[in-house]
Amino acid sequence: MSPTACAPRLILASASPRRLDLLAQIGVVPAAVAPAHIDETPRKAELPRHLAERLAREKALAVAADQPGAAVLAADTVVALGRRALPKAEDRETARRCLEAMSGRRHTVYGGIALAAPDGEVRTRLVATAVAFKRLSDHEIRRYLDGGEWEGKAGGYAVQGRAAAFVRHLNGSYSNVVGLGLFETAGLLESAGITVR
């Protein structure tokens, strides 16, 4: 990032190394990383797209409260089958259920992005990418789980890793599936005076 006289400090409200790597692709290096700690439980009947956008906004606001004068970028990724949000895989069994549910089917990856400006205004964007998996055999699922890439991932997979071999079709933003829609993020950052390469 090329700093300018009026550009605010940028704080990334995420501990995700993938999001840091994605920002680096567009020449943006946050001044600091400050993960947000919020309750990510979906509300009753909350649609996955609304969940992704709400969580991104809440993360940005939570971190902005402790970072006066800074711009805070936050994001959240939700993998959905129809109207149902799949969980973040914190254990092998959850990851297995997610992969079995997506096998041979299309799912949607929703990326919520929020930028809290120093003046308190919060701008949000929602990115939706359609992903179709091939039909997965028990052996393929077991082998993928053995590799451990699923840990902590929405829907139990990382498209930038070995799960790329599962993707029959992808329509939309690839970077969104990795963890941050770069086109939309660049627009938000530039609107706040932060230079994007």
Side-chain angles (χ1 to χ4, degrees):
M1 180 174 69
S2 303
T4 61
C6 61
R9 288 174 68 244
L10 178 65
I11 309 297
L12 177 62
S14 172
S16 166
R18 295 174 306 283
R19 290 189 179 122
L20 269 177
D21 290 344
L22 286 165
L23 284 173
Q25 286 182 28
I26 57 172
V28 175
V29 179
V33 172
H37 303 287
I38 64 167
D39 180 2
E40 298 188 25
T41 306
R43 294 173 178 163
K44 186 175 181 180
E46 186 173 30
L47 293 174
R49 63 188 303 119
H50 297 154
L51 174 64
E53 196 165 12
R54 175 177 66 83
L55 292 180
R57 182 183 186 86
E58 288 182 4
K59 288 176 182 180
L61 288 170
V63 172
D66 297 325
Q67 300 286 346
V72 177
L73 178 68
D76 194 81
T77 303
V78 174
V79 175
L81 276 173
R83 297 167 63 90
R84 177 170 62 108
L86 296 181
K88 187 177 288 186
E90 302 295 353
D91 58 68
R92 184 184 174 102
E93 178 59 21
T94 300
R96 182 187 64 77
R97 287 198 307 269
C98 288
L99 291 171
E100 287 178 349
M102 291 183 289
S103 174
R105 297 180 63 188
R106 192 185 104 154
H107 61 274
T108 305
V109 179
Y110 291 107
I113 308 166
L115 183 70
D119 64 4
E121 181 184 2
V122 181
R123 297 183 184 97
T124 62
R125 298 289 182 273
L126 181 70
V127 190
T129 307
V131 182
F133 271 13
K134 70 174 189 171
R135 188 163 298 283
L136 304 175
S137 68
D138 290 343
H139 175 69
E140 285 174 314
I141 291 174
R142 190 164 53 249
R143 191 172 57 193
Y144 185 74
L145 294 174
D146 288 345
E149 280 184 355
W150 53 268
E151 293 183 35
K153 304 292 192 308
Y157 77 95
V159 74
Q160 71 276 21
R162 289 174 44 222
F166 301 160
V167 178
R168 184 170 50 79
H169 179 74
L170 187 150
N171 185 13
S173 169
Y174 172 80
S175 64
N176 175 52
V177 184
V178 178
L180 188 66
L182 289 181
F183 176 80
E184 294 77 10
T185 299
L188 284 175
L189 293 175
E190 288 175 336
S191 74
I194 297 170
T195 303
V196 174
R197 179 179 46 162

